[in-house]
């Protein structure tokens, strides 16, 4: 176990706050890249994988991949009602939102739907 070092690693340069993080995510939309890795974001935010991963877990109660996929699902919904995209296929739509393919989109959408219906009971 590394006690004390985690505290030390989060110096002022790597400390994230929710507002700054969300502003970056919404402005830059890194989740639109289907090959996005957590390390692609840590460099930009000047932090490390462990810290960012912990931050997302604490702040949103989910892991990095699920957080990114939820942003992608939200993007699909936004694109779906966007008049500029009425004529594109479902596949193109989900790819524009950052999903690698339609299967990935369907699998993640089903998981999220299942999670939200479970919460209602």
């Amino acid at each position: 176990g590394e006690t004390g070092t985690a505290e030390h690693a989060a110096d002022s340069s790597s400390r994230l706050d929710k507002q700054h993080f969300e502003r970056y995510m919404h402005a830059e939309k890194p989740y639109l890249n289907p090959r996005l890795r957590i390390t692609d974001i840590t460099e930009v935010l000047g932090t490390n994988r462990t810290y960012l991963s912990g931050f997302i877990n604490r702040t949103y109660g989910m892991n990095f991949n699920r957080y990114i996929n939820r942003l992608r699902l939200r993007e699909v919904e936004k694109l779906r009602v966007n008049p500029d995209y009425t004529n594109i296929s479902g596949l193109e739509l989900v790819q524009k939102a950052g999903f690698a393919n339609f299967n990935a989109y369907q699998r993640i959408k089903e998981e999220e739907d299942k999670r939200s219906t479970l919460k209602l009971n």
Side-chain angles (χ1 to χ4, degrees):
E2 295 179 357
T3 42
T5 48
E7 194 71 22
H8 189 72
D11 57 15
S12 57
S13 67
S14 67
R15 202 171 282 134
L16 288 171
D17 69 278
K18 190 175 181 218
Q19 223 177 352
H20 172 242
F21 176 69
E22 288 181 2
R23 200 171 337 166
Y24 164 75
M25 294 304 286
H26 292 115
E28 301 302 321
K29 299 188 173 190
Y31 52 87
L32 298 183
N33 171 8
R35 287 184 295 280
L36 178 72
R37 292 189 320 276
I38 191 167
T39 46
D40 299 335
I41 297 179
T42 53
E43 287 169 27
V44 183
L45 294 174
T47 184
N48 63 50
R49 183 193 196 119
T50 309
Y51 186 76
L52 181 58
S53 179
F55 167 81
I56 292 172
N57 267 298
R58 280 191 311 279
T59 310
Y60 305 101
M62 62 187 79
N63 68 23
F64 174 76
N65 285 336
R66 185 170 170 218
Y67 175 77
I68 292 300
N69 283 324
R70 284 183 75 166
L71 289 175
R72 287 172 177 155
L73 287 174
R74 204 174 304 158
E75 191 71 20
V76 168
E77 296 310 314
K78 269 189 248 170
L79 293 173
R80 188 174 275 156
V81 296
N82 184 328
D84 297 341
Y85 297 114
T86 44
N87 295 322
I88 74 167
S89 71
L91 174 63
E92 282 178 288
L93 206 68
V94 302
Q95 286 178 328
K96 268 194 188 307
F99 288 105
N101 53 53
F102 204 78
N103 284 352
Y105 161 74
Q106 275 185 309
R107 192 186 69 246
I108 285 146
K109 177 133 181 58
E110 278 171 25
E111 277 171 26
E112 286 302 324
D113 289 349
K114 221 176 283 173
R115 280 193 167 103
S116 54
T117 40
L118 287 174
K119 278 191 194 101
L120 296 173
N121 299 339

